[in-house]
Amino acid sequence: MNHTIRAQDESGVIHTRQTFRAFVDATIPQTTELAIEFGEMQYFGALDFDIDQFMIYLLNRVDVIPLAIPTAIMLDMAAEELVANEGNDHFLNFSVYEGGGAFAALAPSDRFRAIILLEELRINLENLPFPYQNNPALVLSVTNSLNRITTMGYYSEWWGYGTTRLEEPDDRVLEYLPLSWEQVGYPRPSLGYRAFRRYLYEEFTE
């Protein structure tokens, strides 16, 4: 393999991973305040559960075309648009997520401002990467799903699959109880939970 191409591929993987690390961290951050009030279990955020990997995995499987890399590029372009219009409240910091782009360099609150630009289509669709280029329906569909994907991954069994989480679904094994389940008191799936079936009816006669 050409060393230049390999370096570019590795750079793209790092950039994509850092972009989604920045996204999920802004969406479900670590919360010291909750840990103080409700116990240390409530401290953990999306980064602790590798939800960025979940997003990349899912985005690469929801369409014929893998969407993780073009989505990361689209987020960067929204961030660049935000900065160009002086819509960011904080300075860019490229040291937090090394190898990431403009989106990862934004402060968490500014990342949401960049997302709003996409949600309102206030970005040049012509310049977006394929398959988002001149495709407002896809831009809106994916952008609006990013928060849902993050939340779904966080409260699913994803992290509990441990070393098998990136395997195909049939090859995964639940290695331990996900900490997010412990946060909300979910005891894990079971075939033995009681289910409501009907009200008992008693006929009273005098």
Side-chain angles (χ1 to χ4, degrees):
M1 177 184 289
N2 182 286
H3 291 296
T4 302
I5 294 176
R6 180 175 180 179
Q8 290 174 346
D9 289 345
E10 291 175 350
S11 176
V13 169
I14 293 172
H15 168 265
T16 301
R17 179 79 190 273
Q18 295 292 59
T19 301
F20 286 107
R21 280 173 57 83
F23 182 89
V24 303
D25 187 37
T27 304
I28 307 179
Q30 295 173 336
T31 49
T32 303
E33 297 80 5
L34 288 179
I36 293 173
E37 185 173 356
F38 299 107
E40 63 179 344
M41 183 59 63
Q42 303 301 327
Y43 169 77
F44 302 106
L47 282 183
D48 297 300
F49 301 157
D50 297 317
I51 304 305
D52 54 296
Q53 289 184 345
F54 177 80
M55 293 193 71
I56 292 169
Y57 179 91
L58 205 60
L59 284 169
N60 283 337
R61 286 161 176 77
V62 296
D63 207 332
V64 177
I65 302 168
L67 291 177
I69 289 178
T71 301
I73 295 172
M74 180 172 68
L75 290 173
D76 265 354
M77 296 180 69
E80 291 166 1
E81 181 74 13
L82 182 75
V83 173
N85 292 323
E86 299 182 348
N88 52 309
D89 287 344
H90 307 275
F91 293 113
L92 297 180
N93 185 349
F94 288 92
S95 66
V96 178
Y97 297 99
E98 293 186 7
F103 183 82
L106 290 173
S109 58
D110 287 332
R111 292 172 209 159
F112 292 119
R113 292 185 175 90
I115 292 293
I116 290 173
L117 293 183
L118 292 173
E119 291 175 339
E120 297 179 351
L121 296 177
R122 290 191 287 127
I123 187 170
N124 190 334
L125 299 179
E126 176 68 28
N127 294 335
L128 293 179
F130 180 82
Y132 293 112
Q133 186 179 41
N134 293 325
N135 193 341
L138 183 61
V139 171
L140 292 175
S141 175
V142 173
T143 300
N144 291 333
S145 72
L146 294 179
N147 285 333
R148 292 195 296 273
I149 293 173
T150 303
T151 304
M152 180 173 64
Y154 187 82
Y155 289 107
S156 73
E157 70 277 13
W158 168 259
W159 190 73
Y161 286 132
T163 59
T164 67
R165 70 171 65 96
L166 294 176
E167 302 293 335
E168 292 302 315
D170 290 343
D171 297 324
R172 297 174 188 164
V173 178
L174 195 63
E175 297 178 353
Y176 36 80
L177 190 70
L179 292 179
S180 59
W181 288 5
E182 294 189 40
Q183 286 180 335
V184 297
Y186 179 57
R188 80 175 58 202
S190 172
L191 297 178
Y193 292 142
R194 295 180 180 273
F196 176 81
R197 295 185 178 182
R198 66 182 186 277
Y199 288 106
L200 295 177
Y201 173 76
E202 295 183 10
E203 183 177 354
F204 294 93
T205 60
E206 295 184 0

